Amino acid sequence: MRPASTTVATVALLAALLTGCTSVDRAPTATPTQPSTTTATGPADPATGTSQPTTAPTVSAGTSGVAPRVTLRISGGFAGRGESIVVEPDGQWTVTDRAGGRRNGRLTPADQGTLAGLTADPRLATEARQPTTATRCSDVMHYRLSVASNDTGYTTCPEDGTPPPATQAVVNLLLRTTGTYVR
């Protein structure tokens, strides 16, 4: 029979090891300042659990290869969501929720290059000049994108027509790279 002190020491050691493993396993999700590592797929489809592929037009990023400051405001939905995503020219991003909570990170070099190409797309300026109309749907998501001096956006209302493609490509990239999933 083992002495009680050996049993207690064994249980304490086991508990310490398990606690250490648990905190290490959870570190990536508990630390929102980790850089974005997702590069090829979008948010998981809630119905199937599979990742949605993302597509972006092939666009030259220009001579600098650096995107301007990009701001995305997300609002609406049944629950009254309200987030903003700001991506600085150096790739640092901040997501601020409606309550003021913040998450930070950095785009991967590949995502930063994709963003630079998308923000240089001349269609973005054209889409920003299109007149806006009130949506015909309620409880839909509203996306408002600001890139340099261009402001554009769309809603997720099918009756409003197809979202502007260049704007939607930037929105999808920002949602994917910052881990912000909006239904």
Side-chain angles (χ1 to χ4, degrees):
M1 200 169 196
R2 289 186 184 173
S5 62
T6 305
T7 304
V8 170
T10 304
V11 169
L13 179 61
L14 208 68
L17 288 172
L18 289 175
T19 302
C21 289
T22 302
S23 66
V24 170
D25 290 344
R26 292 185 182 167
T29 58
T31 308
T33 59
Q34 295 293 323
S36 171
T37 56
T38 306
T39 57
T41 58
D45 182 339
T48 63
T50 59
S51 294
Q52 300 287 330
T54 58
T55 58
T58 303
V59 179
S60 169
T63 56
S64 70
V66 175
R69 185 175 202 212
V70 177
T71 303
L72 174 63
R73 288 177 188 80
I74 307 162
S75 62
F78 181 74
R81 307 254 328 233
E83 287 95 11
S84 70
I85 300 170
V86 177
V87 181
E88 299 296 339
D90 67 355
Q92 289 281 355
W93 56 261
T94 302
V95 176
T96 306
D97 65 24
R98 185 170 74 179
R102 292 178 182 252
R103 293 185 296 114
N104 300 302
R106 178 180 286 280
L107 297 177
T108 64
D111 287 333
Q112 198 169 354
T114 301
L115 182 61
L118 290 172
T119 57
D121 187 336
R123 296 179 303 163
L124 205 54
T126 302
E127 292 170 1
R129 289 189 296 269
Q130 299 300 316
T132 58
T133 58
T135 183
R136 295 178 231 168
C137 299
S138 57
D139 300 328
V140 295
M141 298 307 299
H142 300 265
Y143 298 100
R144 198 78 202 142
L145 181 68
S146 297
V147 177
S149 62
N150 294 318
D151 291 322
T152 181
Y154 64 94
T155 64
T156 57
C157 177
E159 294 175 25
D160 291 347
T162 304
T167 301
Q168 187 177 31
V170 175
V171 168
N172 288 340
L173 176 70
L174 296 180
L175 294 177
R176 177 181 57 80
T177 59
T178 63
T180 305
Y181 178 70
V182 181
R183 289 185 192 184

